[in-house]
Amino acid sequence: MSRRTSMRQLTSHNLSTFRRQPFAEISGSLGDLGTFLPIVIALTGGHQISLTTTLIFTGVYNILTGFLFGIPLPVQPMKAIAAVAILNNLTAGQTAAAGIFVSSCILLFSITGLLSWFTRVIPIPVVKGIQVGAGLSLIISAGSKTLSSLSWTGPSWADNYIWMIVAFLVLFAISLRPRTPYALILFILGIIFAIIRVSANPHHHLPGFRLWHPYVQSPSTSEWKTGILDAGVGQLPLTTLNSIIAVTHLAADLLPDVQTPSVTSVGLSVAAMNLFGCWFGAMPVCHGSGGLAAQYRFGARSGASIIFLGLLKLLVGILFGESLADLLRKFPLALLSVMIIAAGLELASVGESLNTPRARDLYKERARSTSSPDLTDEERRNRWTVMLVTAGLLIAFKNDAIGFIAGMCCHWSYHFPSYIASMRRDRTLSRENNSATHDENQALLPR
């Protein structure tokens, strides 16, 4: 299939899906705000990114991603970089250096074929473990933030446990009517609450027209060193595993009727976004599996959803820019937390298909041979254990790389005995063949 034909099909899919369920697509586009807004607000407050530039550039990325891939592939913050930048008060140059370093490595992995090789050799139970671990990490993070920031009556009448419980009850109620645009309703309610709270505080200001003044930032030598070592190295495995490999597997699971983008194309997309945007003060971004699960959970089924989100970001960034900071800070954490928890549950639930025919490795095995036997009880147990070890260590150490290494070691431990037995069989067969060849040669010699 030519690229032009593929693009025509993706465009047709986007348009037909949006016409069929416009409110679901709009609601789904807002599903990842629970992750996007808190990180953007924190980095803006520390002057580590430009809010205006981030909104405009991520808006453009959303639009291009929607057109090129035709699925609700998110544009998310690079979380490890954001966490280090917030905790260690990194400068804007150090934050940009970290994003540029990670994207340069991803570009190298993409053009050399390493990403495709990673995808082939990493077992499905390990990939599922990364997805389950990421989903549960979202839930734990949202719960911890809620416990430390909210009470039954605080920090305000619009942001407390009561509103969180109400949001949960509504979430459970609309499960009976899946087409209800839950995220859209929550977003509008949150914006109304934020406007009321900002208007009531004389020290805060409602958004006003602000002209964008683009600028270029070039990290110094010391900023390159600090950004790469303190933030970039920790982000690299997270981006490779969760934002590229895991997200392509999740897209195939959630949207089997749409052509899944290759890991190489997703890797090139991540590289291009940051190798351009970070020089202008935009936030380092990637495509995360958590964001895809969130947008799918709230109704997104095509690239039209994130094209809408991109247009919204672009418009808001150009018209209001930095003046949005006070309004975004007052968006109720109670509502954002419910969206994060729902997204985490959606992402963690993909582990359920590990031992079913829908698992990618089992599906391919059955496609090659119609007589392929079912998994034995021991094989099922081993696969579950590998997934749980990966997810458990990822959560315990809050590090995708540790979870990945633990999962791979667990996988190898189960396959090592059969590998040794196979080597012994091959060695025995080789000796027998050599002996037979020797006997035949001896028989042919003249007597």
Side-chain angles (χ1 to χ4, degrees):
M1 183 187 300
S2 68
R3 184 59 186 168
R4 180 177 297 181
T5 303
S6 176
M7 286 297 300
R8 191 180 299 116
Q9 290 180 351
L10 291 176
T11 302
S12 175
H13 169 67
N14 288 340
L15 290 174
S16 63
T17 304
F18 192 81
R19 289 195 190 103
R20 187 171 63 253
Q21 48 179 38
F23 290 110
E25 290 291 294
I26 294 173
S27 177
S29 73
L30 305 172
D32 193 34
L33 290 181
T35 302
F36 184 83
L37 287 183
I39 294 178
V40 169
I41 292 168
L43 292 176
T44 300
H47 302 289
Q48 287 132 338
I49 62 169
S50 164
L51 176 59
T52 306
T53 305
T54 295
L55 287 172
I56 291 173
F57 276 60
T58 57
V60 173
Y61 302 155
N62 279 132
I63 294 169
L64 293 176
T65 300
F67 276 119
L68 293 175
F69 297 127
I71 61 175
L73 196 63
V75 175
Q76 285 188 309
M78 287 190 175
K79 297 181 184 64
I81 292 178
V84 173
I86 294 166
L87 292 175
N88 296 350
N89 294 316
L90 297 187
T91 65
Q94 291 167 342
T95 305
I100 294 169
F101 165 75
V102 172
S103 297
S104 299
C105 293
I106 294 300
L107 177 63
L108 179 64
F109 295 163
S110 300
I111 61 180
T112 57
L114 278 175
L115 279 179
S116 297
W117 181 78
F118 289 153
T119 305
R120 289 194 301 270
V121 301
I122 297 176
I124 291 298
V126 174
V127 176
K128 294 283 188 184
I130 292 170
Q131 293 171 333
V132 172
L136 295 177
S137 295
L138 284 175
I139 297 170
I140 293 170
S141 174
S144 300
K145 182 67 174 177
T146 299
L147 288 173
S148 64
S149 304
L150 300 183
S151 68
W152 286 104
T153 57
S156 80
W157 62 269
D159 194 11
N160 50 53
Y161 286 154
I162 296 174
W163 279 112
M164 191 172 183
I165 292 172
V166 170
F168 264 122
L169 292 176
V170 175
L171 176 64
F172 296 143
I174 68 164
S175 62
L176 302 174
R177 300 188 62 185
R179 291 184 177 273
T180 304
Y182 178 79
L184 178 61
I185 295 170
L186 226 60
F187 176 73
I188 293 174
L189 182 63
I191 288 294
I192 293 173
F193 284 177
I195 291 174
I196 295 173
R197 293 174 67 189
V198 170
S199 301
N201 192 326
H203 300 292
H204 293 156
H205 303 284
L206 289 172
F209 178 74
R210 298 283 180 87
L211 188 63
W212 179 41
H213 297 286
Y215 63 91
V216 176
Q217 63 181 17
S218 181
S220 64
T221 303
S222 62
E223 287 178 326
W224 279 110
K225 180 180 178 181
T226 303
I228 291 172
L229 295 180
D230 289 4
V233 173
Q235 178 67 50
L236 188 56
L238 177 60
T239 296
T240 304
L241 297 170
N242 185 49
S243 302
I244 299 176
I245 296 175
V247 81
T248 56
H249 282 268
L250 183 64
D253 288 341
L254 297 180
L255 301 162
D257 298 330
V258 186
Q259 181 181 353
T260 303
S262 66
V263 290
T264 300
S265 61
V266 175
L268 291 174
S269 175
V270 171
M273 290 189 298
N274 295 288
L275 291 176
F276 182 73
C278 287
W279 295 100
F280 296 90
M283 175 180 63
V285 292
C286 58
H287 303 302
S289 57
L292 175 58
Q295 291 172 171
Y296 180 89
R297 172 64 183 82
F298 293 114
R301 296 294 184 271
S302 75
S305 62
I306 55 171
I307 292 174
F308 170 83
L309 178 62
L311 292 171
L312 180 63
K313 286 182 183 176
L314 195 59
L315 180 64
V316 169
I318 292 173
L319 293 181
F320 303 111
E322 304 294 332
S323 70
L324 287 165
D326 285 341
L327 183 66
L328 295 181
R329 288 191 189 97
K330 292 299 181 182
F331 196 98
L333 175 63
L335 305 185
L336 287 177
S337 297
V338 174
M339 295 173 71
I340 295 173
I341 292 171
L345 291 171
E346 184 71 35
L347 181 56
S349 68
V350 301
E352 173 271 335
S353 64
L354 175 66
N355 290 328
T356 69
R358 289 185 292 127
R360 180 174 292 195
D361 55 343
L362 301 181
Y363 177 81
K364 288 182 177 179
E365 186 177 342
R366 282 165 172 76
R368 287 194 298 266
S369 174
T370 56
S371 61
S372 177
D374 293 331
L375 293 174
T376 64
D377 289 340
E378 183 180 4
E379 288 173 331
R380 291 175 183 275
R381 185 169 58 251
N382 291 349
R383 285 166 65 88
W384 269 106
T385 302
V386 171
M387 183 181 74
L388 293 177
V389 166
T390 305
L393 272 292
L394 185 156
I395 295 168
F397 291 93
K398 300 180 180 180
N399 190 305
D400 284 50
I402 293 177
F404 168 73
I405 293 171
M408 291 299 297
C409 289
C410 184
H411 171 79
W412 288 328
S413 71
Y414 288 131
H415 288 76
F416 187 71
S418 60
Y419 175 72
I420 295 298
S422 176
M423 287 184 62
R424 288 175 176 171
R425 284 195 303 270
D426 292 343
R427 195 175 302 157
T428 301
L429 289 173
S430 178
R431 283 200 300 265
E432 291 175 353
N433 290 334
N434 290 336
S435 177
T437 302
H438 177 74
D439 291 344
E440 290 175 1
N441 292 336
Q442 288 294 324
L444 293 175
L445 291 175
R447 299 185 182 276

